[in-house]
Amino acid sequence: MLARCYIERWPLRTAFVISRGARTEAEVVVVEVKLEGCVGIGECTPYARYGESPDSVVRQLEPLLSELAAGLKRSALASRLPAGAARNALDCALADWEARYNGETFCGPDSLPTVQTLVIDSPQAMAMAAIEAVAAGVGVLKLKLDDRHVLERVAAVRAAAPGAQLVIDANEAWCSDNLVARCERLAELEVAMLEQPLPAGDDDFLATFTHPLPICADESCHTRTDLQRLKGRYEMINVKLDKTGGIGEAEALAEEAVRQGFEVMLGCMLCTSRAIRAAWPLGPRARYLDLDGPTWLAKDAEPPLRFTAGRVFWS
């Protein structure tokens, strides 16, 4: 099997602003594998929060790519690479190759719902973005927030989009000091879910109060080994292939999470449509789907998925 990996940089149509800062491009690592006329492609988005960079991911991958010709199997990846972006790109490339080689045809839903993300801005600007999204048919808005003007921003969006479902992602930016009162106010504003309000290493406080709205673990949950410590702190987990290390562990995590009583959110990084296609089989299992990563790109990879009216269509 021949294999190669390379870095791609995709400019964004506008800055993507979260509590950790702003990004103006998506940096992804692509893996291609080829054997007997079939080509499989996988993509990952290295994330600095987890100590990853495009260069570090390439360094992780290169030794294993040379081993594919010697018969390295997809089933062995978990013993050779830690869960994370590098393993995800290789796992997805091999899974894509297997499907093409075996002549498997697409049998999933033709479309999936997705939230539309509103990045951090002034309350007025976020309200205007909400109006535009709802006018385009979006039903679920995901608000990125830091620790400033939280209630003002949420109240402005709620007033601008009274019929929309709101979910919030704080990306670990809050502290426990006013979390209880803040959660109560967010529930009054009919926020449907709150994602990762506290740092992953400092989320014990979530077990000390009854949550007036569901709280979802993102940075706190990577693989099945995390689930035990999340009990009593979170009601939902965000499954992302770049955290789990590929589709195999992602499917196992989602199944085990549901068995243990968690609800599931399916998320993504800033990515191209290739990454969304890889995650597609998990879509029907999730209560919330955050698959709008490619909508932030000025130009998507070919062939692009189609996003319209709060849904993403397989194409």
Side-chain angles (χ1 to χ4, degrees):
M1 177 175 280
L2 301 177
R4 66 180 184 130
C5 66
Y6 50 90
I7 298 169
E8 291 181 341
R9 292 178 172 86
W10 297 85
L12 305 186
R13 57 177 174 79
T14 187
F16 190 81
V17 186
I18 67 172
S19 62
R20 294 191 185 96
R23 297 179 61 184
T24 57
E25 67 177 8
E27 293 183 289
V28 305
V29 176
V30 180
V31 172
E32 293 183 8
V33 296
K34 183 177 182 180
L35 180 65
E36 297 185 18
C38 289
V39 178
I41 299 178
E43 174 186 305
C44 70
T45 302
Y47 199 28
R49 166 65 178 81
Y50 305 133
E52 300 170 335
S53 70
D55 289 337
S56 74
V57 165
V58 169
R59 287 194 297 270
Q60 283 183 287
L61 287 169
E62 284 178 338
L64 275 74
L65 297 184
S66 62
E67 293 180 31
L68 290 175
L72 179 68
K73 302 299 183 183
R74 183 183 171 208
S75 58
L77 295 184
S79 65
R80 302 300 306 281
L81 285 172
R87 196 171 93 197
N88 175 43
L90 186 50
D91 183 68
C92 288
L94 291 172
D96 187 41
W97 180 88
E98 290 171 2
R100 295 175 188 275
Y101 181 77
N102 294 322
E104 296 175 6
T105 57
F106 174 71
C107 59
D110 293 334
S111 69
L112 294 170
T114 180
V115 307
Q116 181 62 54
T117 302
L118 306 183
V119 296
I120 295 173
D121 209 327
S122 68
Q124 296 78 13
M126 293 183 75
M128 289 300 301
I131 291 171
E132 292 175 4
V134 170
V138 175
V140 185
L141 302 174
K142 180 176 179 177
L143 283 60
K144 291 285 191 177
L145 296 173
D146 53 20
D147 201 33
R148 299 179 300 122
H149 311 301
V150 169
L151 297 179
E152 294 90 337
R153 286 167 168 152
V154 177
V157 171
R158 171 52 72 210
Q165 195 170 36
L166 304 185
V167 297
I168 288 174
D169 186 3
N171 286 114
E172 304 181 280
W174 298 358
C175 62
S176 59
D177 293 349
N178 60 353
L179 183 62
V180 175
R182 184 174 281 178
C183 284
E184 291 174 352
R185 180 59 182 137
L186 293 177
E188 292 172 359
L189 289 167
E190 299 182 323
V191 171
M193 183 269 283
L194 170 62
E195 187 177 351
Q196 199 68 48
L198 302 179
D202 191 28
D203 57 1
D204 292 355
F205 183 77
L206 296 177
T208 67
F209 69 102
T210 301
H211 304 167
L213 74 170
I215 299 181
C216 177
D218 182 4
E219 288 86 349
S220 288
C221 184
H222 291 241
T223 66
R224 285 169 288 174
T225 60
D226 295 314
L227 290 175
Q228 185 60 41
R229 67 171 295 274
L230 302 182
K231 290 182 178 179
R233 298 174 182 168
Y234 298 92
E235 289 74 40
M236 184 179 295
I237 62 160
N238 189 342
V239 177
K240 294 177 180 175
L241 271 61
D242 278 319
K243 293 189 300 178
T244 65
I247 187 65
E249 175 60 27
E251 290 179 328
L253 171 60
E255 181 179 349
E256 180 62 18
V258 170
R259 191 187 72 79
Q260 294 193 27
F262 295 96
E263 290 192 285
V264 171
M265 179 180 190
L266 178 60
C268 70
M269 306 295 193
L270 288 173
C271 60
T272 78
S273 286
R274 290 178 300 222
I276 304 304
R277 284 193 174 89
W280 200 275
L282 286 159
R285 306 185 188 188
R287 177 179 176 184
Y288 292 108
L289 294 90
D290 179 5
L291 305 177
D292 70 338
T295 69
W296 290 89
L297 305 182
K299 182 181 180 181
D300 197 358
E302 295 291 337
L305 296 171
R306 181 167 58 91
F307 292 80
T308 184
R311 299 192 71 85
V312 51
F313 292 81
W314 185 274
S315 56

